[in-house]
Amino acid sequence: MTDQPKFEPIRGTHGADDPGPRNLPLDLQNPDILLPPETDNGSLPNLKFSFAMAHNRLEDGGWAREVTVRELPVAKSMAGVNMRLGPGVVRELHWHKEAEWAYILQGTARLTVVDPDGNLSIDDLKSGDVWLVPAGIPHSIQGMEEGTEFLLVFDDGNFSENETLLITEYMAHTPPSVLARNFGVTSDHFAGIPKSEKYIFRLPVPKPLEAVRAELPDSPIPQPYVFHASGIEAVRYSGGTVKTIDARDFPVTTLSALIIEIEPGGMREMHWHPDADEWQYYIEGEARMTVFDATSKARTFNYRAGDVGFVPRTLGHYIENVGTTPVRVINVFNSRLCSDISLNRWMALTPPDLIRGHLGLDDTVMNALRRSREAVVR
């Protein structure tokens, strides 16, 4: 076996070697934690957790794992679930106390939703599409021919996928006499209902979408809960692309998102969000992020595929591609609209004498300031 490269927490005369015991592969994946930049200072909470470290709940034909405040205590406003459903496999009929935002990572899923007015939405969604199901609205998810994997984000960090309201449990914990009166039949018709949850279970791949729709009332939900974001173009910048998904194009949503691709050598510019926390899911690549808070606090983290990051509202940060392949990351915000303050543009739109007086910058820097938006720079 080839020896792994040595990596020691030493910077000049500061630090010392780490003879062990140590988990060298983990150190190599998190170099800016073991050997922080000199600019890191003070104490900030942990802003990273990997789905690879989350308990994986294996079910009949699928699985689910979650990152909540239990795993990432700073993320009080949002929690996330990564779920896989095989062909035909169903996430059973259910509803939540929280709003559910979703992004299809792989494959195709069928989402079925019924609103309070009896309107119906049945849609097939593919990689890059999203949905938003408000709190209390019943729905189900089913994998199509190739199955599906998706990301769910909920607007409460205390959310747990294991504590949703399920149709099987609701029926199982209602007296049969009440079920009989509710549905207008005798109680013996409910002798075969499940005694516990199904949660994730196998069914055949459903019939084509139009055939299923034809069997049900043609009463679409007035404000669709789905948005085929796979069909909209991302905005290109010098260092990559950004696709915005918010209430301007998806009116029903209460959570918004940026789908960002950062090319090698590129960086999501230094910025902050004035009105929302940022919950991040890294799809691919190797990234680095420093988060800045008041009283000289700063901490740097490294991220790769499957990792979750979090940035509290108003804290300055960037996302830098430190690898040789593109970084793809989903940034979800607990606000209807995506907005940020660019450090560069703020400085460019401030009287130059004020900027020089604060920072002592030379003409080269002053002339490089941009008044236009450049979300991903090179």
Side-chain angles (χ1 to χ4, degrees), residues 12 25 33 39 79 93 98 121 128 152 161 188 192 205 227 320-321 348 359 374:
I33 292 179
T39 47
L93 291 155
E98 305 83 4
S121 170
L152 304 172
E161 180 67 15
D188 57 295
V205 173
F227 181 50
E320 179 185 13
N321 186 333
L359 300 173
E374 187 71 16

Side-chain angles (χ1 to χ4, degrees), residues 11 22 27 53 61-62 100 124 148 156 195 241 298 308 324 339:
R11 185 191 305 110
R22 64 186 294 194
D27 286 343
M53 298 295 292
E100 173 186 288
D124 289 348
T148 184
D156 185 346
K195 301 303 181 185
T241 64
V308 171
T324 59
S339 65

Side-chain angles (χ1 to χ4, degrees), residues 248-286:
R248 283 167 282 205
D249 296 308
F250 186 23
V252 74
T253 194
T254 53
L255 297 171
S256 55
L258 299 177
I259 314 301
I260 303 173
E261 181 168 311
I262 307 170
E263 297 169 355
M267 185 179 82
R268 172 73 170 101
E269 70 166 340
M270 297 171 70
H271 67 285
W272 61 93
H273 303 281
D275 60 352
D277 297 326
E278 177 178 315
W279 196 95
Q280 304 171 340
Y281 177 75
Y282 288 83
I283 300 174
E284 63 177 291
E286 297 177 45

Side-chain angles (χ1 to χ4, degrees), residues 104 107-111 123-125 131 141-144 148 150:
I104 304 292
T108 306
R110 178 165 294 175
L111 177 73
D123 293 275
D124 289 348
L125 298 106
W131 72 71
I141 310 160
Q142 187 169 17
M144 301 303 290
T148 184
F150 47 88

Side-chain angles (χ1 to χ4, degrees), residues 99-113 121-134 139-141 148-153 223-232 243-260 281 283 328-333 336 338:
E100 173 186 288
W101 185 94
Y103 182 91
I104 304 292
L105 297 165
Q106 303 283 345
T108 306
R110 178 165 294 175
L111 177 73
T112 302
V113 188
S121 170
I122 305 179
D123 293 275
D124 289 348
L125 298 106
K126 62 182 181 180
S127 178
D129 290 340
V130 305
W131 72 71
L132 186 289
V133 178
H139 58 288
S140 65
I141 310 160
T148 184
E149 182 180 353
F150 47 88
L151 174 73
L152 304 172
V153 180
Q223 284 197 327
Y225 295 143
V226 301
F227 181 50
H228 295 279
S230 60
I232 66 172
K243 181 182 292 190
T244 302
I245 303 171
D246 68 11
R248 283 167 282 205
D249 296 308
F250 186 23
V252 74
T253 194
T254 53
L255 297 171
S256 55
L258 299 177
I259 314 301
I260 303 173
Y281 177 75
I283 300 174
R328 292 180 60 219
V329 58
I330 302 172
N331 293 353
V332 182
F333 307 96
R336 298 182 68 250
C338 293

